[in-house]
Coordinates of all heavy atoms in Angstrom, one line a residue:
M253 N 0.8 -1.2 0.0 CA 0.0 0.0 0.0 C 0.9 1.2 0.0 O 1.9 1.3 0.7 CB -0.9 0.0 1.3 CG -1.7 1.2 1.4 SD -2.7 1.2 3.0 CE -3.0 -0.5 3.3
E254 N 0.5 2.2 -0.8 CA 1.3 3.5 -0.8 C 0.3 4.6 -0.4 O -0.8 4.7 -0.9 CB 1.7 3.8 -2.3 CG 2.5 5.1 -2.3 CD 3.0 5.4 -3.7 OE1 2.5 4.8 -4.7 OE2 3.7 6.4 -3.8
I255 N 0.8 5.4 0.6 CA 0.1 6.5 1.1 C 0.9 7.8 0.9 O 2.1 7.8 1.2 CB -0.2 6.3 2.6 CG1 -1.0 5.1 2.9 CG2 -0.8 7.6 3.2 CD1 -1.3 4.8 4.3
K256 N 0.3 8.8 0.3 CA 0.9 10.1 0.1 C 0.2 11.1 1.1 O -1.1 11.1 1.1 CB 0.8 10.6 -1.3 CG 1.6 9.8 -2.3 CD 1.6 10.5 -3.6 CE 2.4 9.7 -4.7 NZ 3.8 9.5 -4.4
L257 N 1.0 11.8 1.8 CA 0.5 12.8 2.7 C 0.9 14.2 2.1 O 2.1 14.5 1.9 CB 1.1 12.7 4.1 CG 0.8 11.4 4.8 CD1 1.6 11.3 6.1 CD2 -0.7 11.3 5.1
F258 N -0.1 15.0 1.7 CA 0.2 16.3 1.1 C 0.1 17.3 2.2 O -0.9 17.4 2.9 CB -0.8 16.6 0.0 CG -0.7 15.6 -1.1 CD1 -1.5 14.4 -1.1 CD2 0.1 15.8 -2.2 CE1 -1.4 13.5 -2.1 CE2 0.2 14.9 -3.2 CZ -0.6 13.7 -3.2
G259 N 1.1 18.2 2.3 CA 1.1 19.2 3.3 C 2.2 20.3 3.1 O 2.7 20.3 2.0
A260 N 2.4 21.1 4.1 CA 3.4 22.1 4.0 C 4.2 22.1 5.3 O 3.7 21.7 6.3 CB 2.7 23.5 3.8
D261 N 5.5 22.5 5.1 CA 6.4 22.5 6.3 C 5.8 23.5 7.3 O 5.3 24.6 6.9 CB 7.8 23.0 5.9 CG 8.5 21.9 5.0 OD1 8.2 20.7 5.2 OD2 9.3 22.3 4.2
G262 N 5.8 23.1 8.5 CA 5.3 24.0 9.6 C 3.7 24.0 9.7 O 3.2 24.8 10.5
C263 N 3.0 23.2 9.0 CA 1.6 23.1 9.1 C 1.2 22.2 10.2 O 1.3 21.0 10.1 CB 1.0 22.7 7.7 SG -0.7 22.2 7.7
P264 N 0.6 22.7 11.3 CA 0.2 21.8 12.4 C -0.9 20.8 12.1 O -0.9 19.7 12.5 CB -0.2 22.8 13.5 CG -0.5 24.1 12.9 CD 0.3 24.1 11.6
V265 N -1.8 21.2 11.2 CA -2.9 20.3 10.8 C -2.3 19.1 10.0 O -2.7 18.0 10.1 CB -4.0 21.0 10.1 CG1 -5.1 20.1 9.6 CG2 -4.6 22.1 11.0
C266 N -1.3 19.5 9.1 CA -0.7 18.4 8.3 C 0.1 17.4 9.2 O 0.0 16.2 8.9 CB 0.3 19.1 7.3 SG -0.5 20.3 6.2
R267 N 0.7 17.9 10.2 CA 1.4 17.1 11.2 C 0.4 16.2 11.9 O 0.7 15.0 12.2 CB 2.3 17.9 12.2 CG 3.5 18.4 11.5 CD 4.5 18.9 12.6 NE 4.0 19.9 13.4 CZ 4.0 21.2 13.2 NH1 4.6 21.7 12.2 NH2 3.5 22.0 14.1
Q268 N -0.7 16.7 12.2 CA -1.8 15.9 12.9 C -2.2 14.8 12.0 O -2.4 13.7 12.5 CB -3.0 16.9 13.2 CG -4.1 16.1 13.9 CD -5.3 17.0 14.1 OE1 -5.3 18.2 13.8 NE2 -6.4 16.4 14.6
L269 N -2.4 15.0 10.7 CA -2.8 14.0 9.8 C -1.7 12.9 9.7 O -2.0 11.7 9.8 CB -3.1 14.5 8.4 CG -3.3 13.5 7.3 CD1 -4.5 12.6 7.6 CD2 -3.5 14.1 5.9
E270 N -0.5 13.3 9.6 CA 0.6 12.4 9.6 C 0.7 11.5 10.8 O 0.8 10.3 10.7 CB 2.0 13.2 9.5 CG 3.2 12.3 9.4 CD 4.5 13.0 9.3 OE1 4.5 14.3 9.4 OE2 5.5 12.4 9.2
Q271 N 0.5 12.1 12.0 CA 0.5 11.3 13.2 C -0.6 10.3 13.3 O -0.5 9.2 13.7 CB 0.5 12.2 14.4 CG 0.7 11.5 15.8 CD 2.0 10.8 15.8 OE1 3.1 11.4 15.7 NE2 2.0 9.5 16.1
T272 N -1.8 10.8 12.9 CA -3.0 9.9 12.9 C -2.8 8.7 11.9 O -3.2 7.6 12.3 CB -4.2 10.7 12.5 OG1 -4.4 11.8 13.5 CG2 -5.5 9.9 12.6
V273 N -2.3 9.0 10.8 CA -2.0 7.9 9.8 C -1.1 6.9 10.4 O -1.3 5.7 10.3 CB -1.5 8.5 8.5 CG1 -0.9 7.4 7.6 CG2 -2.6 9.2 7.7
F274 N 0.0 7.3 11.0 CA 1.0 6.4 11.5 C 0.4 5.6 12.7 O 0.6 4.4 12.9 CB 2.3 7.1 11.9 CG 3.2 7.3 10.8 CD1 3.5 8.6 10.3 CD2 3.8 6.3 10.1 CE1 4.3 8.9 9.2 CE2 4.7 6.5 9.0 CZ 4.9 7.8 8.6
D275 N -0.4 6.3 13.5 CA -1.1 5.6 14.7 C -2.0 4.5 14.2 O -2.0 3.4 14.7 CB -1.9 6.7 15.5 CG -1.0 7.6 16.3 OD1 0.3 7.3 16.4 OD2 -1.5 8.6 16.8
V276 N -2.8 4.8 13.2 CA -3.8 3.9 12.6 C -3.0 2.7 12.0 O -3.4 1.5 12.2 CB -4.7 4.5 11.6 CG1 -5.5 3.5 10.8 CG2 -5.7 5.5 12.3
L277 N -2.0 2.9 11.2 CA -1.2 1.8 10.6 C -0.6 0.9 11.7 O -0.7 -0.3 11.6 CB -0.1 2.4 9.7 CG -0.6 3.1 8.4 CD1 0.6 3.7 7.8 CD2 -1.3 2.1 7.5
A278 N -0.1 1.5 12.8 CA 0.5 0.7 13.8 C -0.6 0.0 14.6 O -0.4 -1.2 14.9 CB 1.2 1.7 14.8
E279 N -1.7 0.6 14.9 CA -2.8 -0.1 15.6 C -3.3 -1.3 14.8 O -3.6 -2.3 15.4 CB -3.9 0.9 15.8 CG -5.1 0.4 16.6 CD -6.1 1.5 16.8 OE1 -5.8 2.6 17.1 OE2 -7.3 1.1 16.8
M280 N -3.4 -1.1 13.5 CA -3.9 -2.2 12.6 C -2.8 -3.2 12.2 O -3.2 -4.2 11.6 CB -4.6 -1.6 11.4 CG -5.8 -0.7 11.7 SD -6.5 0.0 10.2 CE -7.2 -1.4 9.5
G281 N -1.6 -2.9 12.5 CA -0.5 -3.8 12.1 C -0.3 -3.9 10.6 O 0.0 -4.9 10.0
V282 N -0.6 -2.8 9.9 CA -0.5 -2.7 8.4 C 0.8 -2.0 8.0 O 1.1 -0.9 8.5 CB -1.7 -2.0 7.8 CG1 -1.6 -1.8 6.3 CG2 -3.0 -2.8 8.2
A283 N 1.5 -2.6 7.1 CA 2.7 -1.9 6.5 C 2.3 -1.1 5.3 O 1.5 -1.5 4.5 CB 3.7 -3.0 6.1
A284 N 2.9 0.1 5.2 CA 2.6 0.9 4.0 C 3.8 1.8 3.8 O 4.6 2.2 4.7 CB 1.4 1.8 4.3
A285 N 4.0 2.2 2.5 CA 5.0 3.1 2.2 C 4.4 4.5 2.3 O 3.4 4.8 1.6 CB 5.5 2.9 0.7
V286 N 4.8 5.3 3.2 CA 4.2 6.6 3.5 C 5.2 7.7 3.0 O 6.3 7.8 3.4 CB 3.9 6.8 5.0 CG1 3.3 8.2 5.2 CG2 3.0 5.7 5.5
N287 N 4.7 8.5 2.0 CA 5.5 9.6 1.5 C 4.9 10.9 1.7 O 3.7 11.1 1.5 CB 5.7 9.4 0.0 CG 6.4 8.1 -0.4 OD1 7.5 7.8 0.1 ND2 5.7 7.2 -1.1
K288 N 5.7 11.9 2.2 CA 5.2 13.2 2.4 C 5.5 14.0 1.2 O 6.6 14.0 0.6 CB 5.8 13.9 3.6 CG 5.4 13.2 4.9 CD 5.8 13.9 6.2 CE 7.1 14.6 6.2 NZ 7.4 15.2 7.6
V289 N 4.5 14.8 0.7 CA 4.6 15.6 -0.5 C 4.4 17.1 0.0 O 3.3 17.4 0.4 CB 3.6 15.3 -1.6 CG1 3.8 16.2 -2.8 CG2 3.8 13.8 -2.0
T290 N 5.5 17.9 -0.1 CA 5.4 19.3 0.4 C 5.6 20.3 -0.8 O 5.4 21.4 -0.6 CB 6.4 19.6 1.5 OG1 7.7 19.3 1.0 CG2 6.1 18.8 2.7
D291 N 6.0 19.8 -1.9 CA 6.3 20.6 -3.1 C 5.0 21.1 -3.7 O 4.2 20.2 -4.1 CB 7.1 19.9 -4.1 CG 7.4 20.7 -5.4 OD1 8.0 21.7 -5.3 OD2 6.8 20.3 -6.4
P292 N 4.7 22.4 -3.8 CA 3.4 22.8 -4.4 C 3.2 22.3 -5.8 O 2.0 22.0 -6.1 CB 3.6 24.4 -4.3 CG 4.6 24.7 -3.3 CD 5.5 23.5 -3.3
G293 N 4.2 22.3 -6.6 CA 4.0 21.8 -8.0 C 3.6 20.4 -8.0 O 2.7 20.0 -8.8
E294 N 4.2 19.6 -7.2 CA 3.8 18.1 -7.1 C 2.4 18.0 -6.6 O 1.6 17.1 -7.1 CB 4.8 17.4 -6.3 CG 4.6 15.9 -6.4 CD 5.7 15.1 -5.6 OE1 6.7 15.7 -5.2 OE2 5.5 13.9 -5.5
R295 N 2.0 18.8 -5.6 CA 0.7 18.7 -5.1 C -0.3 19.0 -6.2 O -1.4 18.3 -6.3 CB 0.5 19.7 -3.9 CG 1.2 19.3 -2.7 CD 0.7 20.1 -1.5 NE 0.6 21.5 -1.6 CZ 1.5 22.4 -1.1 NH1 2.5 22.0 -0.4 NH2 1.3 23.7 -1.3
L296 N 0.0 20.0 -7.0 CA -1.0 20.3 -8.1 C -1.1 19.2 -9.1 O -2.1 19.1 -9.7 CB -0.5 21.7 -8.7 CG -0.7 22.9 -7.8 CD1 -0.2 24.1 -8.6 CD2 -2.1 23.1 -7.4
Q297 N 0.0 18.5 -9.4 CA 0.0 17.4 -10.3 C -1.1 16.3 -9.9 O -1.7 15.7 -10.7 CB 1.3 16.7 -10.4 CG 2.4 17.5 -11.2 CD 3.7 16.8 -11.2 OE1 4.0 15.8 -10.5 NE2 4.6 17.4 -12.0
Y298 N -1.2 16.2 -8.6 CA -2.2 15.3 -8.0 C -3.6 15.9 -7.8 O -4.5 15.3 -7.2 CB -1.7 14.6 -6.7 CG -0.5 13.7 -7.0 CD1 0.8 14.1 -6.7 CD2 -0.7 12.4 -7.4 CE1 1.8 13.2 -6.9 CE2 0.3 11.5 -7.6 CZ 1.6 11.9 -7.4 OH 2.6 11.1 -7.6
E299 N -3.7 17.2 -8.2 CA -4.9 18.0 -8.0 C -5.3 18.1 -6.5 O -6.5 18.0 -6.2 CB -6.1 17.4 -8.9 CG -5.7 17.4 -10.3 CD -6.8 16.9 -11.2 OE1 -7.9 16.5 -10.7 OE2 -6.6 16.8 -12.5
V300 N -4.3 18.3 -5.7 CA -4.6 18.5 -4.3 C -4.5 20.1 -4.1 O -3.4 20.6 -4.1 CB -3.6 17.8 -3.3 CG1 -3.8 18.2 -1.9 CG2 -3.7 16.3 -3.6
Y301 N -5.6 20.7 -3.9 CA -5.7 22.2 -3.8 C -5.8 22.7 -2.4 O -5.6 23.8 -2.1 CB -6.8 22.7 -4.6 CG -6.7 22.3 -6.1 CD1 -7.6 21.4 -6.6 CD2 -5.7 22.7 -6.9 CE1 -7.4 21.0 -8.0 CE2 -5.5 22.4 -8.2 CZ -6.4 21.4 -8.7 OH -6.3 21.1 -10.0
R302 N -6.2 21.8 -1.4 CA -6.4 22.2 0.0 C -5.6 21.2 0.8 O -5.6 20.0 0.6 CB -7.9 22.2 0.4 CG -8.6 23.3 -0.4 CD -10.1 23.3 -0.1 NE -10.5 22.6 1.1 CZ -11.7 22.5 1.5 NH1 -12.7 23.1 0.9 NH2 -12.0 21.8 2.6
L303 N -5.0 21.8 1.9 CA -4.2 21.0 2.8 C -4.9 20.8 4.1 O -5.6 21.6 4.5 CB -2.8 21.7 3.0 CG -2.0 21.9 1.7 CD1 -0.7 22.6 2.1 CD2 -1.7 20.6 1.0
P304 N -4.6 19.7 4.7 CA -3.7 18.5 4.3 C -4.5 17.7 3.3 O -5.7 17.8 3.2 CB -3.4 17.8 5.6 CG -4.6 18.0 6.4 CD -5.1 19.4 6.1
G305 N -3.7 16.8 2.6 CA -4.4 15.9 1.7 C -3.9 14.5 1.9 O -2.7 14.3 2.4
L306 N -4.7 13.5 1.6 CA -4.3 12.1 1.8 C -4.7 11.3 0.6 O -5.9 11.4 0.1 CB -5.1 11.6 3.0 CG -5.0 10.1 3.3 CD1 -3.6 9.7 3.7 CD2 -6.1 9.6 4.3
M307 N -3.8 10.6 0.1 CA -4.0 9.7 -1.1 C -3.6 8.3 -0.7 O -2.5 8.1 -0.1 CB -3.2 10.2 -2.3 CG -3.4 9.4 -3.5 SD -2.5 10.1 -4.9 CE -3.7 11.4 -5.4
I308 N -4.4 7.3 -1.0 CA -4.1 5.9 -0.7 C -4.1 5.2 -2.1 O -5.2 5.2 -2.7 CB -5.0 5.3 0.3 CG1 -4.9 6.0 1.6 CG2 -4.7 3.8 0.5 CD1 -5.8 5.5 2.7
D309 N -3.0 4.6 -2.4 CA -2.9 3.8 -3.7 C -3.5 4.6 -4.9 O -4.2 4.0 -5.7 CB -3.6 2.4 -3.5 CG -2.9 1.5 -2.6 OD1 -1.6 1.7 -2.4 OD2 -3.5 0.5 -2.1
G310 N -3.1 5.8 -5.0 CA -3.4 6.6 -6.1 C -4.8 7.3 -6.1 O -5.2 8.0 -7.0
E311 N -5.6 7.0 -5.0 CA -6.9 7.6 -4.9 C -6.9 8.7 -3.8 O -6.6 8.4 -2.7 CB -7.9 6.5 -4.6 CG -9.4 7.0 -4.6 CD -10.4 5.9 -4.3 OE1 -10.0 4.7 -4.4 OE2 -11.5 6.3 -3.9
L312 N -7.3 9.9 -4.2 CA -7.4 11.0 -3.2 C -8.6 10.7 -2.3 O -9.7 10.6 -2.7 CB -7.6 12.3 -3.9 CG -7.5 13.6 -3.0 CD1 -6.2 13.7 -2.3 CD2 -7.8 14.8 -3.8
K313 N -8.3 10.6 -1.0 CA -9.3 10.2 0.0 C -9.8 11.5 0.7 O -11.0 11.5 1.2 CB -8.8 9.2 1.0 CG -8.5 7.9 0.3 CD -9.7 7.2 -0.1 CE -9.4 5.7 -0.5 NZ -10.7 5.0 -0.9
A314 N -8.9 12.4 1.0 CA -9.3 13.6 1.8 C -8.4 14.8 1.4 O -7.3 14.6 1.0 CB -9.1 13.3 3.3
S315 N -9.0 16.0 1.4 CA -8.3 17.2 1.1 C -8.9 18.3 1.9 O -10.2 18.5 1.9 CB -8.5 17.5 -0.4 OG -7.8 18.7 -0.8
G316 N -8.1 19.1 2.6 CA -8.6 20.2 3.4 C -9.1 19.8 4.7 O -9.6 20.7 5.4
R317 N -8.8 18.6 5.2 CA -9.3 18.2 6.5 C -8.5 16.9 7.0 O -7.9 16.2 6.2 CB -10.8 17.8 6.5 CG -11.1 16.6 5.7 CD -12.6 16.3 5.6 NE -12.9 15.1 4.8 CZ -13.1 13.9 5.4 NH1 -13.0 13.8 6.7 NH2 -13.4 12.9 4.6
V318 N -8.6 16.7 8.3 CA -8.0 15.5 8.8 C -9.2 14.5 9.0 O -10.1 14.8 9.7 CB -7.3 15.7 10.2 CG1 -6.9 14.4 10.8 CG2 -6.2 16.7 10.0
P319 N -9.2 13.4 8.3 CA -10.3 12.5 8.4 C -10.4 11.9 9.8 O -9.4 11.8 10.5 CB -10.0 11.4 7.3 CG -8.7 11.8 6.7 CD -8.2 13.0 7.4
A320 N -11.6 11.5 10.1 CA -11.9 10.8 11.4 C -11.1 9.5 11.4 O -10.9 8.9 10.3 CB -13.3 10.6 11.6
R321 N -10.7 9.1 12.6 CA -9.9 7.8 12.7 C -10.7 6.6 12.1 O -10.0 5.8 11.4 CB -9.7 7.6 14.2 CG -8.7 6.6 14.6 CD -8.5 6.7 16.1 NE -7.4 5.8 16.5 CZ -6.2 6.1 16.4 NH1 -5.8 7.3 16.1 NH2 -5.2 5.3 16.8
H322 N -12.0 6.5 12.3 CA -12.7 5.4 11.7 C -12.7 5.4 10.2 O -12.7 4.4 9.5 CB -14.2 5.3 12.3 CG -15.1 6.4 11.8 ND1 -15.2 7.6 12.4 CD2 -15.9 6.4 10.7 CE1 -16.1 8.3 11.7 NE2 -16.5 7.6 10.7
E323 N -12.7 6.7 9.6 CA -12.6 6.8 8.1 C -11.3 6.2 7.7 O -11.2 5.4 6.7 CB -12.7 8.2 7.7 CG -14.1 8.8 7.7 CD -14.0 10.3 7.2 OE1 -13.5 11.1 7.9 OE2 -14.4 10.5 6.0
L324 N -10.2 6.6 8.3 CA -8.9 6.2 8.0 C -8.8 4.6 8.1 O -8.2 4.0 7.2 CB -7.8 6.8 8.9 CG -7.4 8.2 8.5 CD1 -6.5 8.8 9.6 CD2 -6.6 8.2 7.2
M325 N -9.3 4.1 9.2 CA -9.3 2.7 9.4 C -10.0 1.9 8.3 O -9.5 0.9 7.7 CB -9.8 2.3 10.7 CG -9.0 2.8 11.9 SD -9.6 2.4 13.5 CE -8.6 0.9 13.8
N326 N -11.2 2.5 7.9 CA -11.9 1.8 6.8 C -11.1 1.9 5.5 O -11.1 0.9 4.7 CB -13.3 2.5 6.6 CG -14.3 2.1 7.7 OD1 -14.1 1.1 8.3 ND2 -15.2 3.0 8.0
W327 N -10.5 3.0 5.2 CA -9.7 3.1 3.9 C -8.6 2.2 3.9 O -8.2 1.6 2.9 CB -9.3 4.6 3.7 CG -10.4 5.6 3.5 CD1 -11.6 5.3 2.9 CD2 -10.4 6.9 3.8 NE1 -12.4 6.4 2.9 CE2 -11.7 7.5 3.4 CE3 -9.5 7.8 4.3 CZ2 -12.0 8.8 3.5 CZ3 -9.8 9.1 4.5 CH2 -11.0 9.6 4.1
V328 N -7.9 2.1 5.1 CA -6.7 1.2 5.1 C -7.2 -0.3 5.0 O -6.5 -1.0 4.3 CB -6.0 1.4 6.5 CG1 -4.9 0.3 6.7 CG2 -5.3 2.8 6.5
K329 N -8.3 -0.6 5.6 CA -8.8 -2.0 5.5 C -9.1 -2.3 4.0 O -8.8 -3.3 3.5 CB -10.1 -2.2 6.3 CG -9.9 -2.4 7.7 CD -11.3 -2.5 8.4 CE -11.2 -2.4 9.9 NZ -12.5 -2.4 10.6
E330 N -9.8 -1.3 3.4 CA -10.2 -1.5 2.0 C -8.9 -1.7 1.1 O -8.9 -2.6 0.2 CB -10.9 -0.2 1.6 CG -11.7 -0.2 0.3 CD -12.4 1.1 0.1 OE1 -13.5 1.3 0.7 OE2 -11.8 2.0 -0.5
A331 N -7.9 -0.8 1.3 CA -6.7 -0.9 0.5 C -5.9 -2.1 0.8 O -5.2 -2.6 -0.1 CB -5.9 0.4 0.7
S332 N -5.9 -2.6 2.0 CA -5.1 -3.8 2.3 C -5.8 -5.1 2.1 O -5.3 -6.2 2.3 CB -4.6 -3.7 3.8 OG -5.7 -3.8 4.7
G333 N -7.1 -5.0 1.7 CA -7.9 -6.2 1.5 C -8.4 -6.9 2.7 O -8.8 -8.1 2.7
R334 N -8.3 -6.2 3.9 CA -8.8 -6.8 5.1 C -10.3 -6.6 5.3 O -10.8 -5.6 4.8 CB -8.1 -6.2 6.3 CG -6.6 -6.5 6.3 CD -6.0 -5.8 7.5 NE -4.6 -6.2 7.5 CZ -3.9 -6.2 8.6 NH1 -4.4 -5.9 9.8 NH2 -2.6 -6.6 8.6
S335 N -10.9 -7.5 6.0 CA -12.4 -7.3 6.2 C -12.6 -7.1 7.7 O -11.8 -7.2 8.5 CB -13.2 -8.5 5.7 OG -12.6 -9.7 6.1

């Protein structure tokens, strides 16, 4: 599973999303390649216009908000094929 976190340096909400993602992955015992994207040009290539943003396996799941923990867990289950 590949997860992209879109944010900006010094953005507290972006750091909150990052921490929540790592917490959920650890809690669920799921391995994922997590990449932070802070370059504005790269964010625009993925059509992420509001921060923070979250993409899982190429699908934009959230933009402009930190998703609820249960949402993240459902997306990770879906992407990892767990039921």
Side-chain angles (χ1 to χ4, degrees):
M253 174 183 332
E254 181 184 10
I255 296 175
K256 289 189 185 296
L257 300 172
F258 298 90
D261 293 329
C263 168
V265 179
C266 301
R267 284 195 304 269
Q268 179 186 356
L269 174 60
E270 179 181 6
Q271 186 61 56
T272 303
V273 166
F274 280 113
D275 289 348
V276 165
L277 291 172
E279 182 179 322
M280 296 178 69
V282 173
V286 180
N287 300 302
K288 294 192 322 186
V289 179
T290 57
D291 178 66
E294 191 174 350
R295 288 194 313 254
L296 291 177
Q297 287 177 351
Y298 289 101
E299 298 182 5
V300 176
Y301 302 110
R302 295 178 14 181
L303 300 179
L306 172 70
M307 182 175 280
I308 299 177
D309 290 338
E311 184 179 343
L312 187 61
K313 296 292 190 177
S315 180
R317 68 185 183 93
V318 175
R321 195 174 185 82
H322 72 273
E323 283 181 288
L324 279 171
M325 292 180 99
N326 286 337
W327 294 333
V328 168
K329 280 180 194 174
E330 195 178 273
S332 66
R334 294 180 177 207
S335 50

